[in-house]
Amino acid sequence: MINSIKNSTVDDVKSLEKNKSIALIFLNRKFLLLLLFIIIYAFFAVFAHNFNSFQNIESIMIFSVEIGLLSLGETLVITSGFGGIDLSVGSMLGLSAIVIGELIGRFGLNIWLAIIIGLLVGTGTGLFNGLMIVYAKIPPLLTTLATMYLYSSLALLVSMDQYGNAMPISNFPSIYSIFGQSNILGIPLQFILFFIPITIILYILVQKTIFGKHLLSTGTDEIVSKLSGINVNKIRLWVYTISGLLAAIAALIETSRIASARPDLGSNMNLEAITISVLGGTYIFGGTADIIAVFIASILVTMLDNGLFLIGVNTIWQTGALGFLLIGALILDLIIRKRSL
Amino acid sequence: MENKILLECKEIKKSFGGVHALKGIDFVLNRGEVHALVGENGAGKSTLIKIFSGVVFPDEGSIFLKGKEIKIQNPLDAHRKGIIAVYQEPLVYPKLSVLENIFIGNEIKKSNGEVDWKSEEKRAIELFKSLDIKSEDFIRKPIGKLTTAIQQFTLIAKALNYNAEVIIFDEPTAILSDIDAQNLFKIIKLLRSDGKGIIYISHRLEELQGLADRITVMKDGEIVGTGNNVDMTKKRIIELMAGKNVIEKIQRNNHEEKKDIILKVQGFSKDRVFENISFDLKKGEILGFAGLVGSGRSEVMEAIFGFTKYDKGNIFLEGRNIKIHKTSDAIDLGIMYLPESRKLGLLQNKSILDNVGLPVFNRFLKSLGFINNNNLNSSIKQYVELLSIKAPSLFTNVEALSGGNQQKVLFSKGLIAQPRVLILDEPTHGIDVATKVDIHKLIAKLADDGISVIVVSSELPEIIALSDRVIVMHEGKITGTFEGNQITSLNLISAFVK
């Protein structure tokens, strides 16, 4: 490639080989998940009644979208480093959902306007997280722990009726159902028009753009990045804001899917999003992200839930299975990282 | 009859990865003596006291304590043998009280195993009393809230509790106020009259006059002179530190007179870090910043670059008063700073491409935030060739490269930003001699091409070989500016130790 490169020493070549094998193993996260996917799929196809039906596959796709979007946001946040984590994704979803629901169901606002406001609310809550972390310098874990409570409390407040009871909203116009209940050629619309395009956009954002380069650099080493003229604060503000926006999009899809908006939507999704992100190869200390692997991981986890349910495993064990999967992935991570040192 | 010699070492040698830090040291410390050690950074003083205090193990040589040969296994072993070091910034447990700090790991216990606070307190007060310090007021306070001086005194008390006979002070006064320093001297004299042996390291030659009985000068891992206080005048010490070696200047091709001022820094101050720093940098000039480690040079440069904040002062670039809030402002204006450690300059687990491109991705913009990889890669390739970086490919991770090549990658990263002012912090730190010469030639070439270069270096030969002009900093202030044939080791060192 380059003249001086031709003079490379034996050591250099060795290290190149080492690098290649590292790169291969890291790349393997996607293949590893696909392999796991196939094994789990085959297992359930044999043992779970109805698992391998078109309807069931469709429902796995449907259920993977909302948690998948949260996991993608989580991935960006964790990748930005500095202990980056977002515990409030579920609460942002809940708040955005109830805002959309109230605006349409109680105030009869134009649904498009309501959706835009809902998305803005989600984006705003994400931005608020970012501002607290970047400017008040509160560690992300604590900031988002606080806003997790704050946003779900706000959601309850918004949903109160005149008697002070938190009420769900269910009177959406029928057109609103297109986001979560329709399909294109049998494939759920939210999967094709939201999940896949957003995954591709984020993949390109992280891998091909300046923003992505700066994000990975910031997460790898804040000081090197600052000394290279990167505005690490700006990067961090952006990732938390994007996480909020994605939570709001998930809120839109979920309220449309179940034709109802409740303030507690998303309350059990906070930690699951982190789990899926880590399972998808996101390095918990930042700097490494594989968007496609996170995409696969969110389908994998949804499929696992679905399959366990179908073969009649107690729901209590479903969360346990997720725990096992995560520990397995982390041990694998450790082995890979040790070998690459 | 007791032996007069307390601690002695013979033929101590130590090297770190091929660098000979100590090349055969013979050193004697007598009872009731304050023995001062002086020398530049890297002369080997710290390594020697680390050997005495059990932090580092010597490669060769022997150590004798009161005439008996000993091996010092670790710091605790050194404590037990009665050798204790007090560092500039005392190593204490900040949340624990003075009392707990003295007795930690060595508690006085009652028969039932509980800590006997009363006895400890009584003993501690006695210890402080022997140092002529009234300790009742502060003995129960968390030590982190007390002054550095009291922290040092506590460590001395702790040393006495271990019946220490050899007490080593490593630049104890560098961060003390004058009054505290005077108190410390009083205590050291008390210890001396008590028959302890004291090794005292300092860069403040003045304070040695009244304090030290003997002074030893180290240079490049060797002892170059030792003598009684009266024989070792300040002038003599500086001469010994400077040595006789003649340093050859790096050849320059551009001999035009440098007169256009490109960067002007005025009244630059930051509380407790640097004070009233003013200087000019001319076009095509290499300006050296000499001084000891911790003299505030890097901090000034980091503040100019926008990496840290400063309190007061102005920066003018080509006569225009500029405000730099963040590092990208500086880079956009054509000021680039390359940090001391390659660890701070490069993302170790990322490729050469990613590292070199980092500061300039936004200059290779296609649209929508996409990077024009073709232009970027060919530009990076150009610098990799210019600096003849040896690497299997541009996709190789930086961590797989040798130190010298990593340094060159760092240089590429600086040059690709096309700076007008290039600030290099310790540009050849930890690099082999051959690559060092390469890098020096490169720096000279950059200056010849019209880039103005600031070189911060703690290695005097490097400063002398490269610089057109040298500014010396000492404890946050500029203590001297030298030009042309005034740039000699002797002059620079005189300004170092003011």
Side-chain angles (χ1 to χ4, degrees), chain B residues 134-152:
Chain B
K134 268 191 173 296
S135 58
E136 286 84 349
D137 298 339
F138 62 77
I139 203 156
R140 291 217 171 252
K141 286 188 182 156
I143 200 163
K145 301 223 157 124
L146 302 171
T147 63
T148 312
I150 289 183
Q151 295 180 11
Q152 288 181 350

Side-chain angles (χ1 to χ4, degrees), chain A residues 1-2 4-5 12 15-16 19 204 208-210 213-214 217 220-221 223-224 226-231 287, chain B residues 305 307 327-328 331 343-345 347 349-350 354 358-359 361 365 369-371 381 385 389 391-392 397 413:
Chain A
M1 225 174 130
I2 295 173
S4 57
I5 280 164
D12 289 336
S15 65
L16 173 69
N19 274 345
I204 292 171
K208 306 284 178 200
T209 67
I210 293 169
K213 295 266 187 198
H214 285 185
S217 164
T220 305
D221 194 319
I223 292 177
V224 174
K226 264 192 184 169
L227 284 171
S228 307
I230 292 171
N231 190 343
Chain B
F305 187 56
F307 181 66
T327 49
S328 56
I331 295 176
K343 292 249 148 50
L344 295 180
L347 299 170
N349 60 353
K350 297 266 191 275
D354 279 346
L358 210 50
F361 283 135
L365 203 64
F370 286 93
I371 299 162
K381 215 186 259 180
E385 271 171 29
I389 294 172
N397 279 0
K413 182 178 155 184

Side-chain angles (χ1 to χ4, degrees), chain A residues 32-48 51-52 60 279 296-297 299-308 311 321-322 325:
Chain A
L32 195 93
L33 286 172
L34 275 178
L35 191 73
L36 211 57
F37 186 91
I38 292 165
I39 293 170
I40 294 175
Y41 190 95
F43 176 83
F44 286 130
V46 173
F47 294 102
F51 179 82
N52 200 14
I60 290 174
L279 189 64
I296 298 171
I299 300 173
L300 183 74
V301 167
T302 313
M303 182 176 76
L304 188 71
D305 277 352
N306 172 280
L308 288 172
I311 58 172
L322 194 58
L325 201 63

Side-chain angles (χ1 to χ4, degrees), chain A residues 41-59:
Chain A
Y41 190 95
F43 176 83
F44 286 130
V46 173
F47 294 102
H49 185 59
N50 271 345
F51 179 82
N52 200 14
S53 67
F54 184 76
Q55 239 177 349
N56 192 52
I57 293 169
E58 195 178 26
S59 87

Side-chain angles (χ1 to χ4, degrees), chain A residues 1-9 11-19 22 204-205 207-214 216-231 234 283 286-288 337 340-341, chain B residues 302 305 307 326-328 331 336-337 339 342-350 354-355 358-365 368-371 373 381 384-385 388-397 399-402 405 413:
Chain A
M1 225 174 130
I2 295 173
N3 287 339
S4 57
I5 280 164
K6 284 182 189 138
N7 316 330
S8 56
T9 60
D11 278 352
D12 289 336
V13 175
K14 263 189 197 158
S15 65
L16 173 69
E17 276 166 8
K18 193 181 137 209
N19 274 345
I22 296 166
I204 292 171
L205 184 72
Q207 297 300 330
K208 306 284 178 200
T209 67
I210 293 169
F211 177 84
K213 295 266 187 198
H214 285 185
L216 295 175
S217 164
T218 299
T220 305
D221 194 319
E222 181 176 0
I223 292 177
V224 174
S225 305
K226 264 192 184 169
L227 284 171
S228 307
I230 292 171
N231 190 343
K234 202 172 87 186
Y283 184 39
T288 310
R337 275 174 203 286
S340 68
L341 278 179
Chain B
E302 285 172 355
F305 187 56
F307 181 66
K326 48 187 193 295
T327 49
S328 56
I331 295 176
M336 189 71 195
Y337 168 77
R342 293 183 288 280
K343 292 249 148 50
L344 295 180
L346 298 173
L347 299 170
Q348 292 290 319
N349 60 353
K350 297 266 191 275
D354 279 346
N355 270 290
L358 210 50
V360 292
F361 283 135
N362 51 2
R363 298 189 196 169
F364 292 88
L365 203 64
L368 287 170
F370 286 93
I371 299 162
N373 277 313
K381 215 186 259 180
V384 167
E385 271 171 29
S388 54
I389 294 172
K390 289 199 180 71
S393 92
L394 293 179
F395 297 98
T396 307
N397 279 0
E399 64 195 344
L401 303 177
S402 69
N405 278 313
K413 182 178 155 184

